[in-house]
Every structure is written in structure tokens, then in C-alpha cells.
Amino acid sequence: LLFLKLENKPKEKLQKQICQIVLDHFEKQYTTELGDTWTRVRDVLTQPLCWQYAVLLNKFSHSAELEDTLRLKGYHPAFQGPLPYLPPSLKCYIRRTPGRFPAQKHQAGKLKEYYLLNAASLLPVLALEVKDGEDVLDLCAAPGGKSVGILQCAYPGQFHCNEYDDLRSRWLKQTIESFIPGPLINLIKVSKLHGREIGDLHPEFYDKVLVDAPCSNDRSWLFSSDIQQATLRLIQRKELSSLQFQLLRSAIKALRPGGSLVYSTCTLSKAENSDVINLILNSCSNVMPVNISEIAKAISQEFTFLSDTQQHELLVLPQKGRAWGPMYLAKLKKI
């Protein structure tokens, strides 16, 4: 009953104001890059009332009653196809209709039962394929959803979560405290280093690295409430690809030979996605692309992907009834 009451709260909060400067910029860029596909994507991004939210269960605290409640509300597992990597302990529920399951507040000393997120943000976790005992680095970890996702899948030997920004770093620590039990938290290292430094500080130390890079977040930027901030963001957007390239170079240094990394963003921008990966592949002779096309095939019923990407990359396109993304990911292996 409580879930029903919370879920049926007035929807006025979702009525956000679109920032016209950002929309005009996206209109110009994405019409060129995506053609007619952009129109369908734009219809989802500009209408928060059709957005969907997934429920990632916390294996350290969730109950059977929670799964029953989700099923009664029309939720079903997000990942059901023959995926190359899908640990049974990773449980994520989605439904086709828009809406948001009630969030749980942070309570000191009490673990949350679930994490609300965009279902596409778990695809980099699935692509990373973390196994028990591996040393793992989450280079740009805040707010912590992907770190929590990794820990649902496996128990790393060492797990290093890094976040340079002070405010976001505090957010990351709170997320970990909310979802991960005490004994396991003690094995997680949280740092506030600049991601560009980590490769030099920890050369060839990690088996797996996730680079969920700072990017022009298409969903949130469209609803920038401050015109000056929006304008500044669009100016700084041109510099992001350089930072992303530097973070990837650092991640490659931090990887052991034979180790792999996943790069991800939540933007549609070609300059921040495939262009960055192509630049890395052309300038770093010690990495090679890894085919992740099987992921898209396995979950094509629930997610829409851009069709003309290369085998080592995926781009999730938000569509009505499948409002997941934008989410770009690419996988590389160190030779």
C-alpha cells in the first residue's frame, strides 16, 4: 500500500522547463549525426513524463517480498537474453510503462534494498565482466551506481573507486555506505585523485578498469535552469573529448597486460564517443578493440541501439516504451 501511495504522488515535479539554447544546439548537431533517428530520441529526452526507471536490487539486503511487489506492479527482469556475462546475483527490474518506483532515503547503519537508475547504465558493468578476485578500478565513480552494480556481480580482490570532484566524492561515499555491508566496505578504496594521474601512480595494477567519463549529459543539460550555466556548458563541451582521451590514456597505463577496460558516457555526441575511441586505437599500439555486439543481440527486445556502430561499441537510443539511454560504451583490451 505504501508503494502505491508513493508512486501515485502528483506528477508536477516531473514538469521541467526545457533549455532552448541547449535544445537548439542538440537539434543542429544530432540532426547531422543521427538523421531522422534524432526526432524519435528528442521526443523522449524532452518529455520526462515518458521516462522510465529501473530497480537494481541490492543482494546484500533485499527481500523476496520486494521482488513480489515489483512483479505485481508489472516489472520484469531487464536482462534475460543469452548474455555473454550475467551473474545470477545481478537482478535489475524494469517495466515498459513510464514511472518511478519510490526512492529510499539514506539511513546511517541501514542498507538500502534497491537502487533506482537508467537501465542502460548497467551495460558498461555487464561489458566489463568482473570476476571474483580481480583488481578493479572505477576511475570516475560518482554517484556510485556502477560501483554498486559491479559489487552485485562479483567480489573484486581490490576495488578502487575514484572521484575527483569533492561534492561528488561525498555522494559516492554515501552511496557505498547505503548499499555495501561493513566488512566489504573495508576492502573498497575511495580516492579523490584526478583520473589523469592514476595511470602513473598505479601502473599495470588493475585487471579491469571502468572509465565512465565526464560528458555532456544530454538528459540533464536539456533542463538546465540557468541560461548562463547552459551557455558555459556548451562552450566547455568542445574541451570534453580532450579530457576523455587523457582519462583513457591513464586507464590504459593502469591496466595490466591482458586486462580490459570499458569506456562509457551518457551522451549521443560522436565527438565524445566513437571519435575518442578511434583516437585511442590510432594512437595507442598496446590496445585492441573487443567485440561486444552479442550484448546488443541478447537484449534487443528491451533496448534500442544505433545500428551503424562498430563491433567494439554500442550506443543505446532512448525510444518511447524503451526510454533507456543515451548510453555509449566501448570495450578495449590491453595487449
Side-chain angles (χ1 to χ4, degrees), residues 218-235:
D218 293 353
R219 278 191 192 237
S220 65
W221 281 27
L222 269 171
F223 297 93
S224 302
S225 55
D226 185 325
I227 300 295
Q228 285 184 315
Q229 182 194 52
T231 306
L232 183 62
R233 278 175 166 174
L234 291 175
I235 293 168

Side-chain angles (χ1 to χ4, degrees), residues 27 39 47 80 108 111 182 189 194 207 237 263 290 319:
E27 199 73 56
T39 306
Q47 296 178 45
Q80 300 185 79
L111 295 181
K189 175 184 176 182
H194 198 294
D207 301 296
R237 191 179 204 208
Y263 171 76
V290 178
Q319 306 282 293

Side-chain angles (χ1 to χ4, degrees), residues 55-323:
V55 183
L56 172 65
L57 303 192
N58 184 11
K59 72 177 182 182
F60 303 110
S61 73
H62 86 265
S63 61
E65 289 85 352
L66 174 58
E67 288 194 71
D68 291 341
T69 300
L70 286 166
R71 291 183 187 277
L72 282 171
K73 287 180 160 294
Y75 285 82
H76 60 274
F79 309 114
Q80 300 185 79
L83 281 152
Y85 172 86
L86 182 61
S89 53
L90 181 75
K91 294 186 177 182
C92 179
Y93 282 83
I94 61 173
R95 67 177 181 183
R96 282 291 175 93
T97 51
R100 187 174 191 151
F101 205 65
Q104 292 179 310
K105 288 184 179 178
H106 173 72
Q107 292 179 274
K110 186 176 181 182
L111 295 181
K112 292 185 180 182
E113 288 190 290
Y114 56 87
Y115 189 100
L116 300 180
L117 76 175
N118 185 321
S121 65
L122 287 175
L123 298 187
V125 172
L126 292 174
L128 196 60
E129 299 188 29
V130 175
K131 296 177 177 63
D132 289 348
E134 291 183 324
D135 296 324
V136 181
L137 168 64
D138 190 348
L139 192 72
C140 314
K146 293 180 179 67
S147 296
V148 169
I150 287 169
L151 289 166
Q152 301 305 309
C153 295
Y155 294 94
Q158 295 189 56
F159 192 25
H160 182 177
C161 299
N162 181 70
E163 178 55 52
Y164 179 63
D165 181 83
D166 188 58
L167 181 64
R168 288 173 61 82
S169 181
R170 290 201 297 272
W171 190 3
L172 169 66
K173 286 178 182 176
Q174 188 179 90
T175 300
I176 291 172
E177 287 171 12
S178 292
F179 287 91
I180 310 305
L184 189 54
I185 281 182
N186 298 332
L187 301 177
I188 301 170
K189 175 184 176 182
V190 180
S191 65
K192 287 189 352 183
L193 300 166
H194 198 294
R196 290 179 296 210
E197 303 170 1
I198 288 182
D200 290 325
L201 292 171
H202 303 288
E204 300 192 349
F205 188 83
Y206 301 100
D207 301 296
K208 302 281 169 67
V209 178
L210 175 63
V211 184
D212 187 42
C215 67
S216 47
N217 184 323
D218 293 353
R219 278 191 192 237
S220 65
W221 281 27
L222 269 171
F223 297 93
S224 302
S225 55
D226 185 325
I227 300 295
Q228 285 184 315
Q229 182 194 52
T231 306
L232 183 62
R233 278 175 166 174
L234 291 175
I235 293 168
Q236 293 174 335
R237 191 179 204 208
K238 297 171 186 174
E239 301 165 13
L240 280 168
S241 57
S242 174
L243 170 62
Q244 291 155 349
F245 177 78
Q246 292 169 42
L247 292 172
L248 272 170
R249 288 289 297 265
S250 177
I252 292 165
K253 284 183 183 178
L255 263 183
R256 291 176 178 141
S260 55
L261 72 83
V262 170
Y263 171 76
S264 62
T265 74
C266 50
T267 180
L268 298 161
S269 175
K270 183 173 175 287
E272 298 176 52
N273 293 340
S274 54
D275 286 357
V276 173
I277 291 297
N278 288 338
L279 187 59
I280 280 287
L281 288 170
N282 290 331
S283 60
C284 299
S285 59
N286 61 340
V287 289
M288 59 180 287
V290 178
N291 187 343
I292 55 173
S293 61
E294 289 301 315
I295 294 176
K297 289 177 189 172
I299 57 173
S300 60
Q301 284 206 316
E302 302 291 354
F303 298 82
T304 302
F305 296 92
L306 184 66
S307 57
D308 58 346
T309 53
Q310 298 181 79
Q311 288 187 325
H312 59 272
E313 59 182 357
L314 300 173
L315 178 59
V316 182
L317 302 171
Q319 306 282 293
K320 284 190 176 174
R322 301 173 174 186

